[in-house]
Amino acid sequence: MGFKVAIVGATGAVGVEFLKVLERRNFPVDELVLLASKRSAGTTLEFKGKTHMVTELTHGSFAGCHLALFSAGASVSRAYRESCVAAGCLMVDNSSAFRMEAGVPLVVPEVNPQQARKALRSQGGAGVIANPNCTTIIALLALNPLHRAVPIKRVVAATYQAASGAGHAAMEELLNSTRAYLDGKPYEPKVLPFPYAFNLFPHNSPMTASGYCEEELKLAKESVKILDDPSVKITGTCVRVPVLRTHAEALNIEFTRELSVERAYELLGKAPGVTVLEDRARNRWPMPVDVAGKDDVYVGRLRKDHTQDNTLDVWVVGDQLLKGAALNAVQCAEAALLG
Ligand code: A2P
C-alpha cells in the first residue's frame, strides 16, 4: 500500500528536493499533491516521469493525505498545522515553528529514530514531526557517534553556511550578484541584508538580547533536545558564506575524558550517514564541491586540540538541502510510517 503525499512549498529550494528524494528512495507514493502559494498555482513539476500541477495551498488541501512534507516557512506551518493534523495527515515540518514544543519530536533518524513514531496520532502523538535546523542536523551526524562513546562536555562551533538555507531566492541572489560583480555592475541586495558576492557575514537570523543570533541558539538548544542530554553545552558563531547549497562546520569538541583521534576516526568511519574523506599527504579535506548533492555528511581533519585536554577538532560538511533538510525529513517519514 502506498501513501497520498502532500508537499507544501513544492516550488521552493527544499520542495523540489523533497520530490527528488522521494523518487530516489522509492518512497511508496500513490498520489501526490503539490502545494505552494497562489503565485505558482498552475505551474508544473515532474515526479517519476509524470507531470504534476501545483495548486494553491488551502485548508482543504490535506483531505485524504497520509503525509505532508512542509517547507514554506514557519508562518505557513503554524497556519496550516491544525487543518493538516485534523485531516489525519502526518506533518513533517522543516520550519522552526514547532521544534522546541514539548510533545513534538525533533528527529534526526541516525540519532533518535524511535521518536519519529511518537508523532503518530494513533500513538497519542501531536501528529507533527519537526525537522531540525540544517546546521544542527549536520553537526549531530558527527557529534552523536562520538558522544555515545565518550560523553561530550562542550562544543565550540564555527559554521560556514550556504545560500540555500535562506531559500531559492537567496541562491539566485548569490548567482546574480556574483555575475553583476564580475561585470562591474552595481547590485542592490534584495533577499539577504548585505552584499553576498565575494563577501561573508555573521548569520542574518534575528539577533537576540543575549548577543547570539537565533541560528546560533537553535544549534545549542535543538542539539540538547535531540541528544536528550542537557549536559552537552554548545556555543557557536554562524556565518553565511558565498556557497550555493553546502554547509561546513569547524567543531571544537571537549569530552568528559580522553577520546583518541584514532578511536574517533574509527567511530565516524562506521557511523551511519557519515563518510570520512581526507588525504593528509595532499592536505585535502571535505569541501562543498565534494558534498553538494550527496546524502552523507562528510568529516575529516580530526586532530587533538593542543591547548586543552580531552578535546578534538573536527571538520564537518553536509548538503544543506539534502541531509540538512529534505533527506532528513523523508527519513523521518520513513521511520514513522515504514519503520
Ligand atoms: P511560491 O513559489 O508560490 O512562492 P523557498 O524556501 O525556496 O523560498 O521556497 C518557499 C516555498 O514556500 C515556495 O514553494 C513558496 O511558493 C512557498 N510558499 C511561500 N509562502 C507561501 C504561502 N503563503 N502559502 C503556500 N506556499 C507558500
Side-chain angles (χ1 to χ4, degrees):
M1 182 211 121
F3 299 94
K4 182 171 175 182
V5 180
I7 311 278
V8 179
T11 51
V14 175
V16 298
E17 296 295 330
F18 279 147
L19 289 176
K20 291 186 201 161
V21 171
L22 288 170
E23 179 163 347
R24 187 155 48 79
R25 296 175 72 84
N26 215 11
F27 189 92
V29 178
D30 272 355
E31 216 181 312
L32 199 56
V33 182
L34 302 183
L35 302 162
S37 79
K38 202 173 183 171
R39 290 181 292 276
S40 8
T43 58
T44 57
L45 292 166
E46 299 288 311
F47 181 72
K48 291 197 172 173
K50 284 199 189 135
T51 302
H52 294 259
M53 175 97 79
V54 176
T55 56
E56 183 185 356
L57 172 65
T58 67
H59 288 285
S61 297
F62 305 100
C65 290
H66 304 99
L67 168 68
L69 300 170
F70 275 68
S71 192
S75 55
V76 172
S77 295
R78 282 193 201 97
Y80 289 88
R81 171 188 187 165
E82 206 177 306
S83 3
C84 176
V85 170
C89 177
L90 174 68
M91 175 180 197
V92 180
D93 182 33
N94 190 47
S95 84
S96 59
F98 317 118
R99 287 180 187 150
M100 296 311 293
E101 185 178 309
V104 171
L106 184 64
V107 180
V108 178
E110 288 82 354
V111 181
N112 59 347
Q114 70 291 349
Q115 289 290 325
R117 291 189 67 78
K118 290 194 183 158
L120 297 175
R121 293 222 116 188
S122 59
Q123 308 208 357
V128 181
I129 296 175
N131 204 41
N133 166 270
C134 45
T135 304
T136 307
I137 299 174
I138 291 165
L140 284 181
L141 265 273
L143 293 176
N144 180 60
L146 304 178
H147 180 62
R148 299 299 161 205
V150 178
I152 290 171
K153 197 164 153 190
R154 177 171 185 257
V155 179
V156 183
T159 74
Y160 306 79
Q161 301 191 207
S164 55
H168 179 72
M171 298 170 80
E172 286 296 309
E173 178 147 305
L174 175 56
L175 292 169
N176 292 335
S177 60
T178 303
R179 215 170 277 126
Y181 186 102
L182 292 173
D183 291 344
K185 293 184 180 151
Y187 184 93
E188 200 53 50
K190 297 170 195 72
V191 183
L192 291 163
F194 309 109
Y196 203 8
F198 304 100
N199 190 27
L200 54 81
F201 44 88
H203 199 277
N204 51 293
S205 57
M207 181 44 59
T208 71
S210 63
Y212 285 100
C213 68
E214 281 184 3
E215 185 81 356
E216 291 157 354
L217 295 178
K218 284 176 189 171
L219 174 62
K221 292 180 184 166
E222 293 182 19
S223 298
V224 163
K225 179 168 175 177
I226 299 160
L227 292 170
D228 192 22
D229 190 344
S231 68
V232 177
K233 311 286 181 220
I234 304 188
T235 181
T237 300
C238 293
V239 177
R240 189 79 78 186
V241 297
V243 169
L244 278 173
R245 60 178 289 167
T246 302
H247 287 357
E249 304 179 26
L251 305 177
N252 178 265
I253 313 165
E254 184 184 356
F255 296 89
T256 46
R257 52 178 200 276
E258 186 173 358
L259 176 65
S260 70
V261 170
E262 296 70 28
R263 177 85 179 115
Y265 269 119
E266 202 183 301
L267 291 163
L268 292 172
K270 59 183 188 205
V274 175
T275 295
V276 175
L277 173 79
E278 56 170 59
D279 181 345
R280 250 169 217 248
R282 288 174 55 226
N283 199 8
R284 170 71 168 84
W285 316 93
M287 294 185 266
V289 291
D290 302 309
V291 181
K294 301 271 173 39
D295 282 352
D296 272 11
V297 165
Y298 283 53
V299 299
R301 205 144 192 263
L302 272 61
R303 62 202 184 279
K304 224 168 135 47
D305 176 343
H306 67 188
T307 66
Q308 182 164 267
D309 287 342
N310 305 335
T311 305
L312 297 179
D313 279 294
V314 181
W315 175 246
V316 186
V317 184
D319 185 312
Q320 190 276 333
L321 292 173
L322 288 175
K323 190 58 193 169
L327 172 64
N328 196 75
V330 171
Q331 288 173 317
C332 287
E334 289 170 351
L337 299 173
L338 312 177

